[in-house]
């Protein structure tokens, strides 16, 4: 230590090096941007708050894809569509998304000030800004589809802010995604935001907002991209984190300790085959299992029979990390783009083209072509196709809401107030400007 002290006194200027474990905004240089950006990704992958990853499952639990078996009453409230405002799972979901958005806003505010000519690759400045804006848009997408209108924050702040309208939130999401489409880099890995990823999420948003022409255009552009293709082996889409179907995923590692499958897996399948283990709190809903037709390759990959306490169940088998390793949550897959294009075509009066796209997907999944007698018949069939293809990927709940079918399909949903989650009580307690959703 004495020798080290002597050497430091001889090189006093080395003591002025800025510590890199944390850094003030004014000290950020282009060399810091990649590390800071990783922190934004981490915020949405589960690093921002405890149990945030579990909230990814609330969409399928609110609908008829997952069921609650035991233990945590918060899951039971979601499954029964009787959520209390003090539900901790819902609180973690809200706070996790806003913490991710906070990180994105901090990054954007800091990096926008940097001169692009000081980057080793000047084009990289717009690319990293596009990645952060995509992630921010994804955060707001999670908020608006669960809560409706929420506060729009465009910079880091601890100020109390009132809710914006639902329309304003959707418009903000579109603005961010348009920027990402224009400025993000080309696809290199599904773990990072790319131009195709931005197109895929924007196509989804346009479908929801009934801008069918743009939804179809963007979905078809992604389908035409030779980086992506439907896989003949559906199991590989989930057994492997990187494959031809994944456009963007939120990755997790063993160190993250955020494996969502821990709550889905039992210790063994019905045939005795061991899994990676879990607490098996959320089995597949029997109606999901019954919805698969004979010969559908997706069924055995999505659900597997198991026996627990002498009773027959089906566990979700798409995510298999369990207690041992991390899973990658699929934010966007090319299969969804086939379904987006099909629905958008049908809503524009092109029923033949819509059937072509849905049957392209079904053929790869080992299924025969379907037909439709008209738009209404097609809408029911694509609703079912989306349920089976995208099961336990966070779509079913809002699909039923956006099509006006939730009250008709879900027995526990009897009034429109249940179509939105309650604003967490903890948030309203500290911010009197937040108005609670009706019915809570």
């Amino acid at each position: 230590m004495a020798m080290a002290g002597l050497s430091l006194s001889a090189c006093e200027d080395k003591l002025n090096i800025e510590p890199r474990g944390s850094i003030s905004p004014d000290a950020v240089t282009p060399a810091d941007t990649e590390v800071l950006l990783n922190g934004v990704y981490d915020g949405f992958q589960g690093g921002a708050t405890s149990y945030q990853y579990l909230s990814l499952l609330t969409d399928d639990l609110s609908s008829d894809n997952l069921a609650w078996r035991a233990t945590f009453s918060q899951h039971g409230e979601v499954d029964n569509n009787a959520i209390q405002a003090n539900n901790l799972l819902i609180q973690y979901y809200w706070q996790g998304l806003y913490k991710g958005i906070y990180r994105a806003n901090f990054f954007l505010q800091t990096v926008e000030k940097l001169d692009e000519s000081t980057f080793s690759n000047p084009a990289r400045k717009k690319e990293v800004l596009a990645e952060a804006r995509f992630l921010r848009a994804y955060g707001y997408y999670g908020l608006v589809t669960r809560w409706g209108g929420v506060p729009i924050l465009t910079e880091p702040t601890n100020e109390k802010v009132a809710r914006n309208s639902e329309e304003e939130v959707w418009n903000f999401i579109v603005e961010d995604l348009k920027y990402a489409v224009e400025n993000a880099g080309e696809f290199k890995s599904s773990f990072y935001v790319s131009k195709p990823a931005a197109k895929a999420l924007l196509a989804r948003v346009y479908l929801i907002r009934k801008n069918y022409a743009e939804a179809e255009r963007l979905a078809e552009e992604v389908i035409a991209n030779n980086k992506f293709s439907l896989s003949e082996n559906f199991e590989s889409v989930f057994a492997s984190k990187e494959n031809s179907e994944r456009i963007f995923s939120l990755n997790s590692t063993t160190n993250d300790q955020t494996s969502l499958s821990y709550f889905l897996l039992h210790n063994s399948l019905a045939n005795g085959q061991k899994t990676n283990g879990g607490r098996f709190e959320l089995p597949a809903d029997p109606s999901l299992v019954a919805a698969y037709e004979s010969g559908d390759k997706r069924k055995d990959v999505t659900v597997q029979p198991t026996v627990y306490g002498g009773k027959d169940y089906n566990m979700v088998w798409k995510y298999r990390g369990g207690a041992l390793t991390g899973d990658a949550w699929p934010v966007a897959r090319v299969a969804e783009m086939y379904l987006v294009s099909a629905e958008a075509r049908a809503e524009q009066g092109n029923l033949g083209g819509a059937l072509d796209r849905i049957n392209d997907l079904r053929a790869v999944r080992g299924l025969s072509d379907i037909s439709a007698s008209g738009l209404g018949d097609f809408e029911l069939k694509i609703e079912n196709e989306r349920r089976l293809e995208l099961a336990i990927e966070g779509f079913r709940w809002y699909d039923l809401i956006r099509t006006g079918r939730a009250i008709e399909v879900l027995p526990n949903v009897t009034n429109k107030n249940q179509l939105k989650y309650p604003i967490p009580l903890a948030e309203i307690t500290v911010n009197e400007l937040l108005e609670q959703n009706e019915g809570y």
Side-chain angles (χ1 to χ4, degrees), residues 299-311:
K299 181 178 180 180
D300 290 344
V301 176
T302 304
V303 295
Q304 280 286 315
T306 188
V307 178
Y308 186 86
K311 295 182 179 180

Side-chain angles (χ1 to χ4, degrees), residues 167-394:
E167 182 75 15
E168 288 171 329
V169 178
W170 281 117
N171 290 340
F172 186 76
I173 290 169
V174 169
E175 182 183 342
D176 266 357
L177 291 178
K178 280 184 174 179
Y179 183 91
V181 168
E182 289 295 320
N183 297 290
E186 295 302 327
F187 179 85
K188 295 178 181 178
S189 164
S190 66
F191 298 153
Y192 294 93
V193 173
S194 63
K195 195 179 295 292
K199 289 181 178 181
L201 187 53
L202 185 55
R204 182 193 305 173
V205 170
Y206 278 142
L207 183 72
I208 292 168
R209 304 302 291 160
K210 302 186 187 305
N211 187 342
Y212 298 121
E214 283 299 286
E216 179 190 359
R217 179 183 68 83
L218 289 169
E220 287 295 322
E221 286 183 10
V222 177
I223 291 170
N225 190 315
N226 61 14
K227 294 284 188 180
F228 314 106
S229 62
L230 296 174
S231 176
E232 295 284 347
N233 181 1
F234 190 64
E235 183 168 18
S236 70
V237 179
F238 299 94
S240 171
K241 291 184 178 184
E242 294 268 36
N243 56 74
S244 66
E245 289 212 16
R246 292 197 182 226
I247 304 168
F248 179 63
S249 301
L250 293 175
N251 190 27
S252 294
T253 67
T254 305
N255 291 334
D256 292 328
Q257 297 181 341
T258 56
S259 178
L260 59 97
S261 58
Y262 181 67
F263 281 74
L264 302 173
L265 294 181
H266 183 219
N267 290 324
S268 64
L269 307 181
N271 62 11
Q273 177 186 343
K274 295 297 183 182
T275 71
N276 285 333
R279 58 184 297 133
F280 191 49
E281 181 150 341
L282 305 174
D285 192 288
S287 69
L288 172 63
V289 181
Y292 287 96
E293 61 191 278
S294 178
D296 193 332
K297 298 178 180 179
R298 298 171 294 197
K299 181 178 180 180
D300 290 344
V301 176
T302 304
V303 295
Q304 280 286 315
T306 188
V307 178
Y308 186 86
K311 295 182 179 180
D312 293 329
Y313 293 95
N314 277 272
M315 73 173 78
V316 173
W317 194 228
K318 273 187 173 179
Y319 313 105
R320 306 175 191 181
L324 300 180
T325 187
D327 297 288
W329 178 257
V331 174
R333 290 196 291 119
V334 72
E336 182 204 351
M337 295 299 99
Y338 279 77
L339 295 168
V340 167
S341 181
E343 187 174 342
R345 287 178 176 184
E347 296 296 340
Q348 294 175 92
N350 181 8
L351 188 57
L355 287 167
D356 286 342
R357 268 294 172 238
I358 198 171
N359 286 328
D360 287 341
L361 175 60
R362 285 176 59 83
V364 177
R365 303 304 186 224
L367 301 169
S368 59
D369 288 356
I370 61 169
S371 59
S373 59
L375 178 60
D377 184 32
F378 180 84
E379 287 175 338
L380 292 178
K381 287 180 176 176
I382 198 166
E383 175 187 296
N384 184 62
E385 203 68 40
R386 286 180 63 89
R387 182 188 189 189
L388 301 178
E389 176 67 36
L390 304 172
I392 326 299
E393 295 181 46

Side-chain angles (χ1 to χ4, degrees), residues 104-146:
N105 283 335
F106 177 87
F107 179 87
L108 290 166
Q109 184 183 69
T110 303
V111 176
E112 281 172 348
K113 299 175 183 177
L114 301 178
D115 185 347
E116 67 179 29
S117 66
T118 62
F119 284 71
S120 58
N121 173 13
R124 186 59 183 150
K125 177 182 176 180
K126 283 189 175 180
E127 288 180 359
V128 297
L129 293 175
E131 290 179 51
R133 289 185 68 167
F134 173 99
L135 292 169
R136 182 171 69 177
Y138 177 69
Y140 278 112
Y141 168 82
L143 289 164
V144 74
T145 54
R146 275 65 173 183

Side-chain angles (χ1 to χ4, degrees), residues 57-67 77-83 145 285-288 380 383 387 395-421 440:
L57 302 176
T58 61
D59 192 283
D60 288 276
L61 189 58
S62 289
S63 62
D64 50 1
N65 281 350
L66 284 176
E77 290 178 10
V78 177
D79 186 34
N80 293 323
N81 303 106
I83 305 172
T145 54
D285 192 288
S287 69
L288 172 63
L380 292 178
E383 175 187 296
R387 182 188 189 189
F395 287 92
R396 176 68 170 169
W397 171 243
Y398 197 71
D399 274 354
L400 292 174
I401 292 173
R402 70 180 179 83
T403 58
R405 295 252 301 148
I407 293 177
E408 180 180 351
V409 172
L410 303 175
N412 291 334
V413 180
T414 58
N415 68 79
K416 65 178 184 178
N417 293 337
Q418 292 171 277
L419 303 182
K420 289 185 172 66
Y421 290 172
Y440 296 100

